[in-house]
Amino acid sequence: MSRDYAALPPNQVRRSDRAVTDEAWIAEMLTHAPIGTLATVHEGQPFINSNLFVYDAQNQAIYTHTAQVGRTRANVEGDAKVCFSVSDMGRLLPADEALEFSVEYSGVVVFGRATLIEGEQAERALQMLLDKYFPHLQSGRDYRPITLDELKRTSVFQISIDSWSGKRKQVEDEFPGAFFYGQHGERLVGTSQSDFRGALPLGGGGNSPPAGRGGGGGGGGGGLWTPLSACVTFGRRTLLVFPEFL
């Protein structure tokens, strides 16, 4: 008899072999993910939006913001229940059979309730957002601090986390033919998913994975990674690797 998946807890992962129950891992991913997706609903119609966000481990909450008025605020004021997700794509995994093609991934799904916050709470949340995305800049030194007028022009939301789940698929570094999206199947010598964490793309054209992911643009030859390299070049794309990652 098949299971009634709709009756299961929302944070229960179907593939138990890929479920991540380590809450420290989940919190770490929420801390460092650059962007998340927020799902709201209005009269049965789902809406989803990409948002910058910050995770507050102390209060077990997520903060995000929008314009003063808009769909997200209207939906949250009508129904506070929301879902929030972050994800990371690893290498594409080719196979001998179409059914077996796959991809490495990791992701977190959060279930909770969103509320509009104001005053000092909102100011703290917005400052946490600034500190996450611009950690090298300091309020009052490098830019004028948040003002009361600016707070009034912004909707700041606190997502109180009720439950969450993590999921991950990761294979061995030497998986045959594995490559990052955008490489168009180019062979990289000695690369793995962890080799390019901390790498930044420099100049050039073509498609390339974001910072923290190895990969290359179209055209040109493959790339060669060695522990002594300061730069790795794929076609017209160059990655600068910080010394601490060499």
Side-chain angles (χ1 to χ4, degrees), residues 117-216:
I117 57 175
E118 299 176 332
E120 292 183 359
Q121 276 188 300
E123 182 178 359
R124 175 179 176 271
L126 290 175
Q127 190 60 56
M128 289 181 67
L129 278 164
L130 289 170
D131 292 343
K132 173 183 177 178
Y133 292 98
F134 303 92
H136 60 297
L137 301 179
Q138 183 177 324
S139 176
R141 184 191 69 187
D142 301 302
Y143 59 90
R144 176 180 51 74
I146 300 167
T147 67
L148 291 177
D149 180 64
E150 290 166 344
L151 284 177
K152 294 176 182 177
R153 294 160 49 191
T154 308
S155 292
V156 184
F157 302 95
Q158 174 179 302
I159 302 172
S160 299
I161 300 173
D162 294 331
S163 63
W164 57 21
S165 62
K167 190 176 180 181
R168 173 176 55 184
K169 178 177 180 178
Q170 187 173 4
V171 301
E172 65 275 12
D173 288 348
E174 300 304 320
F175 188 94
F179 65 97
F180 290 99
Y181 178 75
Q183 291 175 356
H184 308 293
E186 295 173 359
R187 173 65 176 169
L188 301 185
V189 181
T191 61
S192 69
Q193 183 176 4
S194 60
D195 282 336
F196 292 97
R197 292 192 182 279
L200 293 176
L202 298 180
N207 295 323
S208 174
R213 282 285 171 266

Side-chain angles (χ1 to χ4, degrees), residues 73-88:
R73 178 165 178 166
N75 288 357
V76 166
E77 289 178 336
D79 189 339
K81 293 176 68 174
V82 298
C83 186
F84 189 85
S85 177
V86 298
S87 61
D88 188 19

Side-chain angles (χ1 to χ4, degrees), residues 38-53:
L38 174 65
T40 60
V41 65
H42 174 69
E43 295 182 351
Q45 172 61 59
F47 293 84
I48 191 165
N49 297 94
S50 299
N51 296 82
L52 299 182
F53 76 99

